[in-house]
């Protein structure tokens, strides 16, 4: 996504396509329009509730928090004009800019942040990203309904002074401030629309570079226009972006080749065909697709041998090389590679934490473990449902997994491929046996992956639980938070525990291959957090 994030993701990832318009001479009055596509539909525009990459990308471009995140996760100015940090790292005092406005003309104030944060951690909101607030004073107690939301470590002193207090230092705190879950909300507007807030373009108000128009809550096309009230509107060159949902990469490529799109995401044989094209780009993402084993719905999946057998039966190299064939690589673990390196030796976290048996292909061993597991469960056969989205790549991946798993004696796999929005709902409601899910780092730190599998995390849809794992994450977040070396070791321990117990089965790390028209410039891309920032997009001749 994400958190997708992040951020949550579909197996196909995100498609973005750009078409040029208004290609006359570069005059101040020139209209610059791009036509864009996304691989999945919007689920919500409510920053307290959004969890998928499409929704979060939209929110991060039409709204703004204390910071924006630039290339290579650089912290850039947002609503915060300046900040003072205490020596112990537990207190931040933000001074907000006075020229920041909502699209309805209201001033963006410190109270907008206080309201939004309190709303997000309130259990009544049921935010799946409330856990990101852990470490902010009383956030965990509030989420557990053991303290009032009014005690959260954030307060406004006047309209433009915001004070944030932490229980423990958060190494990645400033990166979080650029994530939509920490964006401000206009209380008047939220209360006006009530349960409809964020359910359509008109049930919103905007404080970022753009304003969204035309999304009704279920349609597959909309647009964003330049926000005339944005404090830094002079930096925004585009006047409009038109969006549509395109799930099939063949359709996208056809539109590109007919000059109706200036960017399209490639999959399968398309990559091999176009990899030498001058407009070809490949971007590695901090994004892992993995199998969730729903132990709460199907108790047979509590059997470690059965989980291990299902993982060992997957030929990941065959899936990435022959089915996806888009540059994605077989997962080396749950935490994606290239996210963080060891300060002592420069080695990649994923390499140091590697447990090869958790991501290996060994059909013979898989058959042996499955037979032993079924015997322990007093079963001769096992029928499981695999939940996935209905994108073209999602369907192909499901069929591949079905074929591999049904090589195990007695195993039958039923496939359920549904629209992404429905997939997220069923996944959250634990209506699956197996799910091909995905997680994209919300920021460049392994904890962004690992913390979602703690026992009480809302994203732990498979209900896997391990006391030692939880303790390792707790140490990384608390007692060792200010000791980078110890914290790194805590996270390595957690990753190894997860993979040794086969809490999930990582499948592949995504790489997005695209054809990108070189006339469209200014895109900010990061492998973690929000992938795409459109604020500085511009069209050149």
């Amino acid at each position: 996504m994400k958190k997708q994030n992040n951020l949550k993701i579909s197996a196909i990832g995100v498609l973005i396509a750009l078409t040029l318009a208004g290609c006359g001479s570069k005059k101040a009055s020139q209209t610059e329009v791009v036509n864009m596509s996304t691989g999945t539909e919007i689920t919500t525009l409510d920053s307290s509730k959004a969890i998928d990459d499409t929704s979060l990308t939209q929110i991060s471009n039409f709204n703004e928090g204390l910071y924006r995140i630039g290339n290579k996760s650089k912290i850039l100015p947002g609503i915060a004009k300046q900040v003072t940090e205490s020596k112990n790292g537990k207190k931040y005092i933000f001074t907000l800019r006075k020229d920041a406005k909502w699209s309805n003309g209201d001033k963006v104030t410190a109270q907008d942040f206080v309201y939004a944060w309190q709303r997000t951690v309130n259990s009544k909101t049921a935010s799946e990203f409330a856990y990101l607030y852990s470490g902010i004073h009383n956030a965990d107690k509030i989420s557990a309904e053991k303290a009032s939301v009014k005690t959260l470590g954030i307060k406004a002193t006047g309209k433009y002074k915001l004070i944030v207090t932490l229980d423990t230092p958060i190494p990645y705190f400033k990166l979080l401030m650029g994530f939509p879950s920490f964006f401000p909300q206009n209380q008047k507007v939220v209360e006006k629309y009530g349960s409809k807030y964020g359910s359509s373009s008109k049930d919103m108000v905007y404080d970022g570079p753009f304003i969204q128009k035309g999304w009704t809550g279920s349609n597959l096309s909309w647009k964003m226009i330049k926000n005339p009230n944005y404090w830094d509107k002079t930096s925004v060159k585009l006047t409009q972006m038109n969006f549509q949902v395109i799930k099939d990469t063949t359709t996208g490529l056809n539109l590109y080749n007919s000059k109706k799109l200036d960017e399209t995401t490639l999959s399968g044989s398309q990559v091999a065909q176009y990899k030498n094209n001058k407009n070809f780009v490949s971007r590695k993402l901090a994004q892992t697709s993995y199998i969730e084993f729903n132990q709460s719905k199907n108790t047979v999946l509590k059997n470690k041998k059965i989980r291990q057998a299902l993982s060992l039966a997957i030929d990941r190299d065959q899936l990435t090389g022959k089915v996806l064939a888009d540059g994605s690589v077989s997962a080396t673990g749950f935490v994606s590679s290239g996210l963080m390196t060891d300060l002592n030796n420069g080695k990649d976290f994923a390499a140091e934490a590697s447990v090869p048996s958790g991501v290996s292909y060994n059909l013979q061993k898989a058959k042996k473990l499955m037979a032993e597991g079924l015997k322990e469960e007093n079963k001769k056969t096992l029928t499981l449902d695999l939940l996935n989205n209905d994108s073209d790549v999602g369907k192909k991946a499901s069929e591949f997994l079905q074929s591999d798993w049904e090589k195990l004696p007695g195993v039958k796999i039923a496939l359920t491929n549904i629209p992404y929005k429905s997939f997220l709902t069923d996944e959250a409601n634990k209506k699956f046996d197996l799910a091909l899910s995905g997680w994209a780092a919300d920021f460049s730190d392994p904890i962004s992956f690992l913390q979602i599998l703690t026992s009480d995390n809302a994203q732990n849809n498979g209900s896997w639980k391990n006391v030692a794992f939880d303790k390792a994450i707790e140490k990384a977040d608390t007692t060792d938070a200010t000791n980078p070396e110890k914290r790194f070791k805590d996270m390595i321990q957690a990753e190894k525990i997860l993979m040794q117990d086969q809490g999930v089965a990582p499948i592949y790390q995504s790489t997005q291959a695209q054809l990108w028209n070189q006339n469209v410039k200014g895109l900010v891309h990061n492998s973690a957090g929000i992938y795409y920032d459109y604020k500085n997009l511009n069209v050149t001749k």
Side-chain angles (χ1 to χ4, degrees):
M1 249 151 112
K2 296 91 5 221
K3 173 164 165 0
Q4 70 80 316
N5 152 263
N6 344 347
L7 320 148
K8 278 290 185 186
I9 54 172
S10 67
I12 193 172
V14 183
L15 297 175
I16 295 183
L18 304 163
T19 295
L20 304 172
C23 293
S25 61
K26 295 285 288 185
K27 298 180 180 179
S29 60
Q30 179 184 354
T31 298
E32 290 194 24
V33 179
V34 296
N35 293 324
M36 314 183 74
S37 76
T38 169
T40 58
E41 55 269 41
I42 295 171
T43 60
T44 180
L45 303 181
D46 184 345
S47 58
S48 290
K49 298 180 179 180
I51 62 171
D52 63 286
D53 56 347
T54 297
S55 300
L56 290 166
T57 299
Q58 289 286 306
I59 293 169
S60 68
N61 281 282
F62 63 57
N63 276 348
E64 186 168 271
L66 294 170
Y67 297 129
R68 296 190 75 82
I69 308 299
N71 282 317
K72 298 182 179 179
S73 297
K74 183 181 179 180
I75 302 297
L76 300 176
I79 303 300
K81 190 174 183 178
Q82 63 183 48
V83 61
T84 301
E85 181 181 352
S86 65
K87 290 183 178 180
N88 65 3
K90 293 185 179 182
K91 188 174 184 178
Y92 292 80
I93 301 176
F94 295 96
T95 300
L96 309 187
R97 59 182 71 254
K98 295 181 180 180
D99 55 347
K101 293 182 180 180
W102 293 101
S103 54
N104 64 358
D106 290 349
K107 293 280 190 178
V108 179
T109 68
Q111 183 56 38
D112 293 333
F113 285 91
V114 174
Y115 173 74
W117 288 24
Q118 290 179 348
R119 179 171 177 264
T120 301
V121 298
N122 192 328
S123 61
K124 292 181 180 179
T125 304
S127 171
E128 293 191 49
F129 274 157
Y131 71 88
L132 287 176
Y133 282 74
S134 183
I136 297 174
H137 180 63
N138 266 1
D140 292 335
K141 289 183 179 180
I142 294 168
S143 294
E145 299 184 337
K146 294 181 180 179
S148 167
V149 295
K150 301 296 183 181
T151 67
L152 184 66
I154 182 173
K155 69 176 181 178
T157 58
K159 285 188 175 182
Y160 304 106
K161 192 77 71 176
L162 187 69
I163 300 176
V164 177
T165 305
L166 310 181
D167 285 327
T168 184
I170 301 175
Y172 44 86
F173 178 76
K174 289 184 178 181
L175 289 173
L176 287 179
M177 296 304 98
F179 195 72
S181 300
F182 294 86
F183 284 6
Q185 295 172 11
N186 187 313
Q187 183 175 357
K188 179 178 68 177
V189 174
V190 177
E191 293 178 347
K192 174 184 176 181
Y193 294 119
S195 62
K196 291 185 178 180
Y197 176 72
S199 63
S200 72
S201 298
K202 64 181 179 61
D203 301 318
M204 279 292 296
V205 68
Y206 308 91
D207 78 325
F210 302 98
I211 295 172
Q212 193 193 77
K213 299 281 187 180
W215 183 62
T216 64
S218 59
N219 59 315
L220 302 181
S221 63
W222 60 88
K223 63 183 178 181
M224 286 201 291
I225 63 174
K226 183 175 179 177
N227 183 358
N229 284 329
Y230 181 50
W231 69 270
D232 193 27
K233 61 185 177 183
T234 57
S235 296
V236 181
K237 305 305 179 185
L238 296 183
T239 53
Q240 183 170 314
M241 289 180 285
N242 299 317
F243 289 82
Q244 61 177 317
V245 176
I246 298 178
K247 298 182 180 182
D248 183 9
T249 57
T250 299
T251 300
L253 182 58
N254 289 338
L255 290 172
Y256 175 88
N257 285 330
S258 62
K259 300 184 184 300
K260 293 180 180 179
L261 295 177
D262 282 282
E263 188 278 345
T264 188
T265 293
L266 305 176
S267 63
S269 60
Q270 296 171 346
V271 175
Q273 183 179 357
Y274 287 93
K275 65 181 181 181
N276 294 320
N277 188 290
K278 66 178 182 179
N279 293 324
F280 177 83
V281 294
S282 182
R283 299 185 175 100
K284 195 170 186 178
L285 306 176
Q287 175 178 312
T288 301
S289 290
Y290 62 101
I291 297 297
E292 294 177 291
F293 305 104
N294 190 354
Q295 298 183 37
S296 61
K297 177 177 179 289
N298 195 327
T299 57
V300 73
L301 293 173
K302 291 183 177 181
N303 190 299
K304 178 180 175 180
K305 291 179 179 179
I306 289 178
R307 298 196 303 272
Q308 289 177 318
L310 290 169
S311 178
L312 286 165
I314 302 169
D315 189 339
R316 293 164 175 80
D317 290 344
Q318 184 77 6
L319 174 61
T320 57
K322 301 296 183 182
V323 180
L324 301 178
D326 59 358
S328 296
V329 295
S330 299
T332 58
F334 184 56
V335 176
S336 63
S337 62
L339 191 64
M340 178 180 272
T341 56
D342 191 323
L343 293 175
N344 291 324
N345 55 32
K347 290 184 178 179
D348 186 75
F349 175 90
E352 287 202 20
S354 176
V355 179
S357 61
V359 289
S360 297
Y361 173 59
N362 189 328
L363 185 58
Q364 184 176 355
K365 185 176 180 180
K367 290 179 177 179
K368 179 176 181 295
L369 286 171
M370 180 59 72
E372 293 175 357
L374 290 177
K375 185 176 182 180
E376 290 173 2
E377 298 299 319
N378 197 28
K379 289 180 175 292
K380 293 184 178 180
T381 60
L382 180 62
T383 299
L384 299 170
D385 176 79
L386 172 62
L387 178 68
N388 198 2
N389 69 80
D390 65 350
S391 68
D392 180 55
V393 174
K395 290 177 181 178
K396 289 179 179 178
S398 293
E399 291 168 358
F400 179 87
L401 291 169
Q402 179 188 47
S403 176
D404 268 6
W405 282 333
E406 289 190 345
K407 293 174 184 177
L408 299 172
V411 174
K412 293 293 181 182
I413 304 295
L415 302 182
T416 300
N417 291 89
I418 56 180
Y420 187 53
K421 188 172 183 178
S422 299
F423 167 83
L424 290 178
T425 299
D426 283 2
E427 182 188 32
N429 291 330
K430 301 181 184 296
K431 293 182 178 180
F432 66 91
D433 294 322
L434 306 169
L436 180 54
S437 189
W439 190 257
D442 304 323
F443 44 89
S444 299
D445 193 292
I447 203 71
S448 184
F449 279 97
L450 296 169
Q451 64 188 349
I452 73 167
L453 293 179
T454 53
S455 299
D456 58 353
N457 194 288
Q459 302 293 340
N460 186 358
N461 299 301
S463 300
W464 175 74
K465 295 182 180 181
N466 187 291
V467 174
F469 177 87
D470 288 349
K471 287 183 177 179
I473 297 300
E474 183 180 9
K475 285 180 64 180
D477 283 344
T478 55
T479 56
D480 294 340
T482 58
N483 187 318
E485 186 175 341
K486 287 185 177 180
R487 182 173 178 271
F488 196 83
K489 289 180 179 179
D490 292 336
M491 293 189 292
I492 286 179
Q493 180 186 10
E495 170 81 4
K496 288 186 175 183
I497 291 170
L498 169 65
M499 297 313 302
Q500 288 166 355
D501 196 45
Q502 206 71 69
V504 295
I507 308 298
Y508 64 91
Q509 180 174 347
S510 297
T511 298
Q512 189 173 50
Q514 300 171 313
L515 291 174
W516 187 275
N517 188 305
Q518 296 177 4
N519 289 337
V520 180
K521 300 183 182 300
L523 178 69
V524 171
H525 172 266
N526 278 297
S527 64
I530 301 301
Y531 294 145
Y532 301 104
D533 188 325
Y534 309 134
K535 175 180 173 178
N536 298 119
L537 274 186
N538 62 90
V539 179
T540 64
K541 285 286 285 184

